[in-house]
Amino acid sequence: MAVVPRPSGPSGRHRTNPYEGAVRPPSPPPTASHRRGKILSTFRELGIFPETAEALEAVGIISPFPIQELTLPVALSGNDVIGQAKTGTGKTLGFGLPLLERVTVPADVEAGRATPEQLTDAPQALVVVPTRELCQQVTNDLLTAGKVRNVRVLAIYGGRAYEPQVEALKKGVDVVVGTPGRLLDLAGQKKLSLSQVRTLVLDEADEMLDLGFLPDVEKIIQLLPAKRQTMLFSATMPGQVISLARRYMSQPTHIRATAPDDEGATVANITQHVFRAHSMDKPEMVARILQAQGRGLAMLFCRTKRTAADIADQLARRGFASGAVHGDLGQGAREQALRAFRNGKVDVLVCTDVAARGIDVEGVTHVINYQSPEDEKTYLHRIGRTGRAGAKGTAVTLVDWDDIPRWKLINKALELPFDEPEETYSTSPHLYEQLDIPEGTKGILPRAERTRAGLAAEEVEDLGETGGRGRGRRGGSPAAEEERPRRTRTPRQRRRTRGGAPVDGTAAPEAQAGEAADAAEGTEAAAAGPRTPRRRRRPRGAVAAPAAAEARETAAAAVAEAPAVTAAVETAAPAAEEAPAAAPRRRRTRSAAKAAVDTVSEAATAAVETVREPAADTAAEDRPKRTRTRKTAAVKAEAAVDTAEGTAAEEEAPAKPKRTRKTAAAKAAEAGAAEEAPAKPKRTRTRKTAAAKAEAAPATDAPEAAEAKPKRTRKRAAAKPAETAEATSAS
């Protein structure tokens, strides 16, 4: 536990600490003696190296801030430190200067402070930060302070190419500043060695806990040596940070530095304004606030990335030189906007909370919270972008009606006097009065005041980005897109095939059976013409087009030379004539005609199957087996019937019917009936008459009638009794 120093003067009475709440160690090291209770006022008197003090004086930094004065004596002695101070009060140099003092570089060997054996190319100090922007900020500050000693500082964070970072690590570095993700990535690839780290710093530790970096931070700590110095710094120290400190720190000294005239959680030199505004009127209000008197650089904070991008575009259309920084942009675009903002080419930076930590830009006079922050810590870090290093600033918060409950919680936590924000619109007189906006100001910047170069004047650096969204997702800047070689090879054109044959009007192998049936009646030309391919599953094994053509030729030759078709037709023709031959004078009924057609169909189907087997066997080796479907069988059967009927019709007229026993008996019966009853009228045969005759027919004539049938079928079996009865009556 740290105690407040109570130095004694000549009279023996205790002096009061000029910094209320400041914490000092009980016995500071000799390099940071008090000189009769007076807090030292320059960095040289604090005991840092002359080269470091010279580098700071070169940029105008001579006197330390309270957090720096209180931290340096403890940190230089090697003790663990938890530093807490308000935003903009110099926490970076508070841990940066002790870190640089503990690093051994060749300049120390030349000065006699170290031996050559202590030099190493591995990192000797590690600083872990939550965001990329803060990583750049800390790296720049450390490079400035260690410029004279030539301390090698490397920033490692995502969104950049790996190769430059790996090359820098191979050459050797002294201090590494990085984000947890990329640090673990390089350490896992054995590109980053952390075995020589002497000092670990966790900057903005509470933010890393909020972003879910705690597991990654613990993995990094496990890769470090057990004997090291650990320092935690942040503006807010929740209980989780304290628990982390107890687990990984050894007797840390908690230092909280505040100025005597700076009470409360916020910085005293920041003027705060809170207005209740309508969401549809906010763009107009912001445009008029940005035209206030004495307004320099301004930062506009939004809660969502989409809102930030939209407001940046609206302000650009209104004539303001604006840029955006949010997670949907590539790292190249984010750094372009920050560089343009620092260089003055852009005077309005619209960003999300990713830029609310550690961004130190000189000349920021206004911070506008376009949307209410999530909690009081976010509010403190947002408004802390202005009023830094003793300067004055203005913070304006626009609270929507839906955000009133959230704002009341923030107001209560920070003890602010804005529990009920005043309802304000872009035309409200008190808005012009409190923010010093000239009368008659509209929401569009006059052309005479548009003097900034704009975001387009800042070049986009090619970072070789490996992630991120937006135009920098694949390779960084548009220049990298232009330098990427164009594709010169013509992409391969895929052709649709059906069973191995191209679908371009050529008959597929599946139609071989149909072609065989058409070839029987001389329709090969029609089959070779264009046909619409049916929709069916493509087989796994493709058949080559030459093999399919050869299979079709084999099938056609087999059909042309096969004598089975002729024999089948000759066999089917007499069978088709048997029904009318039994009773030539009687009218042909539907049942008899249907029986004849069935007989012809069966015979033709058998003939086609006989012809198809050789062709199918020839093509089976070259094409996959197809599944026979009902639709395909019906189509083939119809084609076969048509072929058989046509052949039978051609041979019916000249062909002489074959004489059989049944035919002779029928003729004799007809002759006898004509002599016995020449004047008898012709009777129509009915089902009732046929049934009666069937009952009276003797059973002895059944074998003779059965022998006259060439093939037994179901329909023939049903018609057998009637035919037997007719033959008996005729005899």
Side-chain angles (χ1 to χ4, degrees):
M1 180 177 177
V3 297
V4 178
R6 302 169 64 180
S8 301
S11 59
R13 293 179 299 177
H14 295 293
R15 292 176 177 263
T16 59
N17 193 353
Y19 295 94
E20 188 67 26
V23 179
R24 297 296 300 272
S27 56
T31 56
S33 58
H34 281 281
R35 294 190 183 179
R36 296 190 180 184
K38 178 181 179 182
I39 294 182
L40 305 181
S41 58
T42 63
F43 284 107
R44 288 184 180 272
E45 295 176 344
L46 288 174
I48 64 175
F49 292 150
E51 295 87 348
T52 305
E54 180 182 352
L56 295 177
E57 292 172 357
V59 293
I61 302 176
I62 300 176
S63 299
F65 285 98
I67 184 64
Q68 299 166 357
E69 289 184 298
L70 299 176
T71 302
L72 279 175
V74 181
L76 288 175
S77 63
N79 296 330
D80 292 352
V81 176
I82 298 178
Q84 182 178 358
K86 297 181 180 180
T87 58
T89 57
K91 293 188 300 296
T92 302
L93 290 182
F95 65 78
L97 295 179
L99 179 144
L100 294 175
E101 297 292 307
R102 293 178 60 84
V103 171
T104 303
V105 295
D108 298 332
V109 178
E110 296 176 0
R113 294 188 294 263
T115 61
E117 291 77 12
Q118 296 177 348
L119 297 178
T120 178
D121 289 335
Q124 304 176 45
L126 176 64
V127 182
V128 184
V129 295
T131 63
R132 302 172 183 177
E133 286 72 21
L134 182 57
C135 181
Q136 291 179 320
Q137 181 73 37
V138 173
T139 302
N140 294 334
D141 291 345
L142 295 181
L143 285 173
T144 301
K147 184 177 181 180
V148 176
R149 292 178 62 210
N150 196 18
V151 180
R152 297 169 296 180
V153 184
L154 176 63
I156 294 180
Y157 55 91
R160 281 181 171 266
Y162 283 87
E163 290 77 10
Q165 299 176 359
V166 174
E167 290 296 329
L169 289 173
K170 290 181 179 179
K171 293 179 181 179
V173 296
D174 300 320
V175 180
V176 170
V177 183
T179 55
R182 180 59 66 90
L183 289 174
L184 284 177
D185 196 356
L186 293 179
Q189 299 178 17
K190 306 300 181 181
K191 306 295 184 181
L192 174 63
S193 174
L194 302 177
S195 60
Q196 302 295 327
V197 173
R198 306 173 187 172
T199 305
L200 170 66
V201 177
L202 300 180
D203 193 15
E204 304 292 350
D206 60 329
E207 180 71 5
M208 284 191 286
L209 296 178
D210 293 340
L211 296 179
F213 286 143
L214 181 59
D216 293 343
V217 171
E218 292 178 347
K219 293 179 182 178
I220 293 174
I221 293 177
Q222 293 174 0
L223 299 176
L224 301 177
K227 187 177 181 181
R228 66 179 184 276
Q229 181 184 17
T230 305
M231 294 185 284
L232 271 67
F233 279 79
S234 180
T236 54
M237 286 291 173
Q240 293 178 337
V241 178
I242 303 300
S243 301
L244 180 67
R246 291 175 179 174
R247 292 172 57 186
Y248 299 106
M249 301 180 73
S250 174
Q251 297 181 354
T253 303
H254 190 174
I255 300 176
R256 181 179 180 184
T258 56
D261 56 345
D262 192 1
E263 298 180 357
T266 59
V267 181
N269 55 358
I270 298 178
T271 304
Q272 304 178 54
H273 301 276
V274 182
F275 303 111
R276 180 184 298 182
H278 196 279
S279 59
M280 299 183 66
D281 193 41
K282 285 183 179 180
E284 184 71 19
M285 292 182 63
V286 170
R288 302 191 181 195
I289 293 173
L290 292 177
Q291 301 181 53
Q293 295 289 345
R295 197 267 298 178
L297 302 181
M299 297 185 69
L300 189 69
F301 286 98
C302 302
R303 210 163 45 224
T304 62
K305 295 175 287 189
R306 179 175 297 180
T307 304
D310 180 57
I311 295 303
D313 293 340
Q314 290 192 39
L315 292 177
R317 290 193 297 267
R318 292 175 181 266
F320 295 94
S322 61
V325 175
H326 53 80
D328 278 345
L329 294 177
Q331 187 61 27
R334 290 162 66 170
E335 295 189 12
Q336 176 200 20
L338 282 173
R339 285 198 309 271
F341 189 60
R342 287 191 173 98
N343 297 335
K345 299 177 182 178
V346 168
D347 62 342
V348 180
L349 187 65
V350 185
C351 48
T352 55
D353 290 332
V354 71
R357 298 272 183 152
I359 301 300
D360 186 11
V361 180
E362 185 179 356
V364 176
T365 59
H366 285 68
V367 170
I368 302 175
N369 291 318
Y370 188 83
Q371 293 174 310
S372 177
E374 294 289 343
D375 49 28
E376 66 275 6
K377 295 185 297 182
T378 305
Y379 177 79
L380 289 177
H381 287 287
R382 281 184 178 184
I383 68 172
R385 300 311 101 200
T386 185
R388 303 178 66 85
K392 294 185 178 181
T394 302
V396 180
T397 303
L398 304 179
V399 183
D400 202 349
W401 268 257
D402 297 337
D403 294 332
I404 290 297
R406 180 186 288 108
W407 170 252
K408 287 188 175 182
L409 294 176
I410 296 173
N411 184 83
K412 182 178 180 181
L414 299 178
E415 299 180 356
L416 300 177
F418 307 107
D419 188 64
E420 292 293 338
E422 186 176 2
E423 185 174 347
T424 308
Y425 297 93
S426 58
T427 57
S428 300
H430 64 271
L431 176 67
Y432 287 77
E433 179 181 356
Q434 295 182 18
L435 298 178
D436 197 12
I437 303 175
E439 293 291 337
T441 300
K442 302 299 181 182
I444 298 178
L445 186 66
R447 294 187 178 274
E449 300 181 9
R450 302 180 185 180
T451 58
R452 304 279 181 174
L455 183 63
E458 186 70 29
E459 296 182 359
V460 181
E461 183 182 358
D462 183 11
L463 305 178
E465 298 175 41
T466 59
R469 283 165 281 186
R471 65 183 181 184
R473 187 178 182 86
R474 283 193 173 184
S477 63
E481 296 287 341
E482 296 176 0
E483 294 176 1
R484 186 180 295 113
R486 300 292 181 181
R487 184 173 60 181
T488 58
R489 182 180 64 85
T490 303
R492 184 179 63 173
Q493 300 294 335
R494 298 184 179 273
R495 300 182 60 186
R496 294 184 57 194
T497 59
R498 186 74 63 183
V503 185
D504 55 355
T506 306
E510 296 89 65
Q512 293 176 9
E515 290 180 0
D518 293 340
E521 58 179 320
T523 58
E524 296 179 1
R531 63 190 297 262
T532 304
R534 290 197 307 114
R535 189 179 177 88
R536 58 174 59 90
R537 181 178 296 178
R538 179 178 297 178
R540 292 184 178 180
V543 182
E550 183 179 355
R552 288 197 297 271
E553 294 176 1
T554 305
V559 171
E561 297 176 1
V565 176
T566 305
V569 172
E570 290 177 358
T571 305
E577 296 176 358
E578 286 181 1
R585 292 186 179 183
R586 296 180 181 275
R587 175 180 293 181
R588 186 166 180 165
T589 60
R590 294 182 179 178
S591 60
K594 186 175 181 181
V597 172
D598 292 340
T599 303
V600 175
S601 175
E602 292 174 1
T605 303
V608 173
E609 292 293 337
T610 305
V611 175
R612 184 184 305 167
E613 289 178 0
D617 295 339
T618 305
E621 299 178 358
D622 300 328
R623 67 180 177 86
K625 185 177 180 180
R626 295 185 56 230
T627 304
R628 181 184 179 96
T629 60
R630 296 181 179 179
K631 185 175 180 181
T632 307
V635 173
K636 293 179 180 179
E638 291 179 3
V641 170
D642 294 341
T643 304
E645 288 182 354
T647 307
E650 293 178 358
E651 297 181 0
E652 183 178 1
K656 186 177 180 179
K658 185 177 180 180
R659 182 182 181 85
T660 59
R661 293 180 182 180
K662 184 177 181 180
T663 305
K667 288 183 178 181
E670 290 177 3
E675 293 177 359
E676 293 177 3
K680 187 177 180 179
K682 185 178 180 180
R683 296 181 59 187
T684 304
R685 180 176 178 175
T686 60
R687 297 181 180 178
K688 186 175 181 180
T689 308
K693 291 181 179 182
E695 294 176 358
T700 58
D701 296 337
E704 183 179 356
E707 293 178 358
K709 299 299 180 179
K711 188 176 182 180
R712 179 182 181 86
T713 61
R714 294 181 181 179
K715 295 185 178 180
R716 290 290 183 182
K720 182 176 70 173
E723 294 177 358
T724 305
E726 289 179 4
T728 304
S729 61
S731 62

